């Protein structure tokens, strides 16, 4: 997935009201950017961080800038737009490029299921059970090389785990897919200390038969593409 317009470097002044950020462009202008991320963005919203913004000239949009990336030391990046994983994965799934999820003829996004929920992707194929795929964007890292989910309490995420477990109990495939939007991490786990309820629901869902898949990303100011599979560590293992 390539960004629609070339990204512009900036310095973060502050993020506020969840979806807004004041930023300082290199030419000295101060602008307000949209933040497509409802999470806490722990470790990504410190004043003075180097970030990348996407400009737009869409008259329908109130804000002319959108915050897309955080740049880290060593030329690494984190993607902060939580809508990117689904866009990247839709293309990859339809092209049969995700190992383990490549034998399905039909890929349908945003299908209603459970209790007033929508599964990110429902995969179907002749002679095989339907496959329900829930996607989570992972951006937190508190230990070098280790990505963690979630970065704040997520009752919605806990609900999704219960609904995936129910699908597995009905004989369907149910896959929890963690897409790590960081280029400085090589493994991923749960932040059980941040949301113990999510970690408990995850353990129950694993017992019910859900599968877990973790994938990395290749990220640059030009765009975001799907990366290689990444080891998923159980919380107890990661804390050892």
């Amino acid at each position: 997935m390539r960004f629609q317009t070339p990204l512009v470097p900036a310095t973060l002044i502050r993020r506020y009201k969840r979806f807004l950020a004041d930023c300082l462009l290199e030419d000295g202008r101060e602008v307000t950017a949209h933040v497509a991320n409802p999470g806490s963005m722990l470790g990504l919203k410190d004043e003075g961080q180097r970030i990348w913004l996407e400009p737009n000239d869409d008259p329908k949009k109130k804000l002319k800038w959108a915050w897309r990336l955080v740049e880290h030391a060593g030329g690494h990046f984190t993607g902060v737009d939580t809508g990117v994983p689904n866009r990247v994965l839709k293309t990859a799934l339809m092209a049969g490029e995700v190992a383990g999820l490549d034998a399905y003829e039909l890929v349908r996004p945003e299908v209603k299921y459970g209790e007033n929920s929508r599964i990110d992707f429902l995969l179907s194929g002749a002679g095989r059970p339907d496959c329900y795929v829930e996607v989570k964007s992972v951006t937190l890292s508190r230990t070098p090389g280790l990505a963690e989910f979630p970065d704040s309490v997520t009752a919605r995420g806990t609900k999704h785990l219960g609904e995936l477990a129910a699908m597995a109990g009905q004989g369907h495939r149910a896959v929890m897919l963690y897409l790590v939007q960081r280029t400085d991490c090589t493994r991923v786990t749960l932040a059980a200390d941040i949301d113990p309820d999510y970690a408990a629901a995850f353990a129950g869902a694993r017992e019910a038969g859900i599968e877990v898949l973790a994938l990395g990303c290749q990220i640059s100011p030009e765009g975001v593409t799907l990366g290689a599979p990444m080891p998923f560590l159980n919380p107890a293992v990661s804390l050892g």
Side-chain angles (χ1 to χ4, degrees):
M1 184 208 80
R2 294 187 63 85
F3 294 113
Q4 292 183 355
T5 55
L7 300 194
V8 175
T11 300
L12 179 65
I13 298 174
R14 64 174 181 139
R15 182 233 187 169
Y16 58 103
K17 294 183 179 179
R18 296 177 72 192
F19 300 110
L20 298 174
D22 290 337
C23 315
L24 183 66
L25 300 180
E26 290 187 331
D27 64 8
R29 285 182 294 157
E30 185 175 321
V31 300
T32 299
H34 176 250
V35 186
N37 189 322
S40 75
M41 295 181 66
L42 182 63
L44 301 173
K45 58 182 180 180
D46 297 335
E47 180 181 350
Q49 284 187 302
R50 181 175 169 85
I51 62 175
W52 290 78
L53 308 178
E54 184 175 19
N56 76 81
D57 56 4
D58 188 342
K60 297 180 180 179
K61 293 184 178 181
K62 293 182 179 180
L63 297 177
K64 300 306 178 184
W65 300 88
W67 182 4
R68 298 302 186 210
L69 305 178
V70 172
E71 184 173 346
H72 306 286
H76 288 288
F77 294 94
T78 294
V80 300
D81 184 344
T82 57
V84 165
N86 283 39
R87 295 199 293 272
V88 171
L89 279 165
K90 180 180 179 181
T91 299
L93 287 169
M94 294 184 71
E97 296 174 347
V98 181
L101 302 177
D102 54 351
Y104 296 88
E105 291 84 17
L106 183 60
V107 176
R108 289 183 288 164
E110 296 292 323
V111 176
K112 290 183 179 180
Y113 87 121
E115 297 182 7
N116 298 317
S117 292
R118 291 177 181 271
I119 193 68
D120 287 315
F121 297 101
L122 178 57
L123 312 183
S124 304
R128 65 187 68 249
D130 286 345
C131 181
Y132 290 76
V133 182
E134 181 69 29
V135 181
K136 297 300 180 188
S137 173
V138 185
T139 60
L140 173 63
S141 179
R142 297 177 292 177
T143 301
L146 179 65
E148 299 176 88
F149 182 88
D151 66 358
S152 60
V153 173
T154 172
R156 183 169 177 264
T158 299
K159 177 187 176 185
H160 288 161
L161 285 170
E163 291 174 333
L164 276 181
M167 294 299 101
Q170 295 174 22
H172 303 293
R173 277 188 79 188
V175 178
M176 185 69 251
L177 194 157
Y178 296 101
L179 190 67
V180 179
Q181 284 205 84
R182 297 188 68 115
T183 62
D184 59 356
C185 292
T186 58
R187 51 206 173 109
V188 62
T189 189
L190 300 185
D193 61 316
I194 291 179
D195 193 343
D197 290 341
Y198 183 87
F202 177 87
R206 288 295 293 268
E207 291 181 2
I210 74 161
E211 305 170 39
V212 177
L213 180 62
L215 298 172
C217 282
Q218 297 172 351
I219 304 172
S220 76
E222 285 70 47
V224 181
T225 57
L226 197 63
M230 188 175 291
F232 180 88
L233 308 182
N234 288 325
V237 175
S238 67
L239 297 175

